[in-house]
Amino acid sequence: MTPVIILGSGMAGYTLAREFRKLDSETPLIMVSSEDGASYAKPGLSNAFTAGKSADALAQADALKMGETLSMTIMANTQVSAINTADKTLTLQVMDAPPGTDNSDQTLEYRDLVLAVGASPITLPIKGDAADQLLQVNSLQDYRVFRDRLEQLGADTRIGIIGAGLIGVEFANDLIKAGYAVTLMDLADYPLPKLIGQDQGQALQTALEDDGVVFKMGVSVAEASFEGAEIKLGLSSGDSASFDLVLSAVGLRPNTGLAKQAGIECDLGISVNQLLKTSADHVYAIGDCAVVEGHFLPYVMPLMSEARALAKTLSGESTLVKYGVMPIAVKTPSQPLCILPAQRTEGTRTEVVDTEDGHVIKTLGSDGELLGFVLMGKAALKERMALSKEVPDLLS
Ligand SMILES: Cc1cc2nc3c(=O)[nH]c(=O)nc-3n(C[C@H](O)[C@H](O)[C@H](O)COP(=O)(O)OP(=O)(O)OC[C@H]3O[C@@H](n4cnc5c(N)ncnc54)[C@H](O)[C@@H]3O)c2cc1C
């Protein structure tokens, strides 16, 4: 039998493999990954210091164990360099093949191919001899390198974080709780500008400042250069700031290169319909690389729904993905926060209800219907379930 091939060993790839095996134990299943194939929960990367977890502790199982458990062949440390949708084949390149072994390109045939290739960190166009020394954490291996560097540098390490989006604020909170000196920088005037309003952003900033995080907002980083062992960042404000380690967290961009090269339609990510099918027959996409009926949702809950639906389709029961209401729990214990983003259109308005330690901020439509919310503080978080029930499903 020609195999189903999953490209990528992230949460999307592994969730699909598990769901598929619940329904079909016969069809050969192959996973190809440019990583080592360890299964781990990526959200754990941005609170692992306070949880006291090393990269090895975050890994739930290695490729060997996962392959056995799911009766699947895992080709780890293997890059797919091309897809031929007419022949239904992939071209593979084994990375870091040991000397003397065959590392020439191989071809693999698929019955169905699932692209679960994720998203890659955006790299800022920064000048200077330290520009390529800014760390990015988007995989277990990245986290291993980051943690090893911090262990070498010791407890007094000054860490600069570029980017006050979700990943930047979560790392800032984690690292400040772990005792490091943290400075958070962003072009925006307040943290999480794409997800919350100015007042809530200021409240989040104040809570993190109370715990010791230093904010430099409204600045962009133009240059990174070495001064001895320090990295000196040149800021657009004309100031400079020196750190022992700099983390860049300015966003992720879906990996579309392989799909585009194969002639598969892409916009921001790989475009798929509600069956999660791309413009090419027998090729599907899920997770951070996919844009589903115009929705780009780089979070865990959507990829779980996608994996469950696609597993059924691949097992012979065509199934549309459905999204319910999926609030984002931000891992900032300094300021407990949960966000259900809402489209603001003409006629939408905001209603703020104060609680004992925060606020419930509702986005209401022109008929007063609830479209989204921001919950700040522990008391507000208790409203999450009740409010979620009032909001219509995202994709039914
Ligand atoms: C620090 C951090 C914290 C987060 N916290 C949360 C949270 O609290 N809640 C939440 O909902 N979401 C969170 N997210 C987002 C969530 O983790 C992602 O949506 C999810 O992990 C994406 O999984 P994925 O499998 O689509 O992609 P990835 O995990 O990026 O996996 C992609 C895989 O594809 C492989 N690959 C790519 N190209 C090729 C190729 N050409 N050949 C072979 N293999 C290839 C890669 O090696 C990798 O194995 C967080 C993300 C980060 C970075």
Side-chain angles (χ1 to χ4, degrees):
M1 273 199 277
T2 317
V4 168
I5 301 185
I6 300 172
L7 244 187
S9 61
M11 294 186 78
Y14 271 127
T15 309
L16 175 65
R18 281 191 201 95
E19 294 296 328
F20 182 69
R21 274 292 177 247
K22 286 181 195 166
L23 304 170
D24 180 334
S25 53
E26 299 297 319
T27 305
L29 192 56
I30 297 179
M31 178 179 277
V32 185
S33 176
S34 50
E35 293 178 323
D36 68 3
S39 169
Y40 72 104
K42 192 180 274 192
L45 297 180
S46 51
N47 63 359
F49 274 93
T50 17
K53 289 199 170 171
S54 66
D56 288 345
L58 286 169
Q60 288 148 354
D62 64 14
L64 196 64
K65 175 89 183 136
M66 291 305 293
E68 278 169 16
T69 310
L70 296 167
S71 308
M72 166 169 76
T73 302
I74 302 184
M75 305 178 79
N77 302 312
T78 303
Q79 183 90 24
V80 171
S81 55
I83 304 167
N84 183 329
T85 57
D87 295 353
K88 299 209 287 175
T89 57
L90 298 177
T91 307
L92 307 180
Q93 256 175 347
V94 180
M95 301 176 317
D96 304 324
T101 56
D102 179 12
N103 66 349
S104 53
D105 288 356
Q106 295 170 32
T107 303
L108 214 58
E109 196 184 341
Y110 59 81
R111 184 199 84 184
D112 291 291
L113 173 67
V114 181
L115 303 174
V117 290
S120 295
I122 294 170
T123 302
L124 287 176
I126 293 178
K127 293 186 296 186
D129 60 355
D132 60 356
Q133 296 300 311
L134 311 187
L135 298 184
Q136 299 170 323
V137 179
N138 186 42
S139 68
L140 203 52
Q141 179 55 18
D142 292 342
Y143 179 71
R144 188 171 280 120
V145 170
F146 176 56
R147 199 173 167 105
D148 284 353
R149 283 291 305 283
L150 279 176
E151 271 168 20
Q152 282 162 12
L153 288 165
D156 297 328
T157 305
R158 294 160 305 156
I159 303 169
I161 301 179
I162 308 172
L166 268 180
I167 293 173
V169 295
E170 290 186 357
F171 271 113
N173 207 154
D174 193 36
L175 294 164
I176 203 79
K177 294 276 182 203
Y180 295 103
V182 180
T183 300
L184 195 50
M185 291 155 273
D186 200 297
L187 196 53
D189 293 332
Y190 62 92
L192 302 186
K194 292 185 185 150
L195 292 170
I196 55 180
Q198 178 128 21
D199 289 352
Q200 300 113 51
Q202 292 297 350
L204 173 62
Q205 178 166 335
T206 303
L208 286 165
E209 281 171 340
D210 288 348
D211 279 344
V213 177
V214 174
F215 278 79
K216 286 185 185 291
M217 301 303 283
V219 295
S220 66
V221 177
E223 191 167 351
S225 45
F226 278 116
E227 269 192 354
E230 288 181 352
I231 297 177
K232 182 175 158 191
L233 297 183
L235 307 176
S236 56
S237 55
D239 285 352
S240 64
S242 293
F243 301 102
D244 304 306
L245 185 150
V246 178
L247 189 62
S248 173
V250 294
L252 298 170
R253 187 174 288 136
N255 291 325
T256 54
L258 200 55
K260 278 187 185 157
Q261 205 188 324
I264 293 170
E265 265 174 41
C266 296
D267 42 51
L268 170 64
I270 304 169
S271 307
V272 293
N273 62 16
Q274 220 177 326
L275 279 172
L276 302 158
K277 190 185 150 304
T278 68
S279 59
D281 285 342
H282 298 281
V283 183
Y284 300 83
I286 57 170
D288 280 9
C289 65
V291 171
V292 182
E293 294 280 359
H295 297 281
F296 175 54
L297 301 166
Y299 306 107
V300 173
M301 280 172 79
L303 72 80
M304 299 271 180
S305 304
E306 292 157 19
R308 278 193 293 269
L310 184 55
K312 285 190 186 162
T313 298
L314 295 175
S315 316
E317 184 192 336
S318 269
T319 303
L320 302 177
V321 66
K322 291 181 182 166
Y323 296 134
V325 177
M326 301 179 290
I328 304 161
V330 186
K331 301 190 290 294
T332 45
S334 296
Q335 174 60 80
L337 181 60
C338 178
I339 303 165
L340 181 68
Q343 285 277 339
R344 280 170 202 275
T345 52
E346 214 178 312
T348 55
R349 62 191 168 87
T350 302
E351 184 183 285
V352 182
V353 180
D354 293 336
T355 63
E356 66 209 46
D357 65 345
H359 316 276
V360 173
I361 300 110
K362 299 179 182 177
T363 304
L364 303 169
S366 47
D367 293 329
E369 72 280 19
L370 185 62
L371 301 175
F373 51 77
V374 176
L375 309 177
M376 288 204 104
K378 284 190 178 153
L381 286 191
K382 291 183 190 151
E383 306 284 320
R384 174 185 164 149
M385 292 288 276
L387 289 177
S388 295
K389 285 185 188 151
E390 291 179 33
V391 181
D393 286 348
L394 188 58
L395 187 64
S396 46

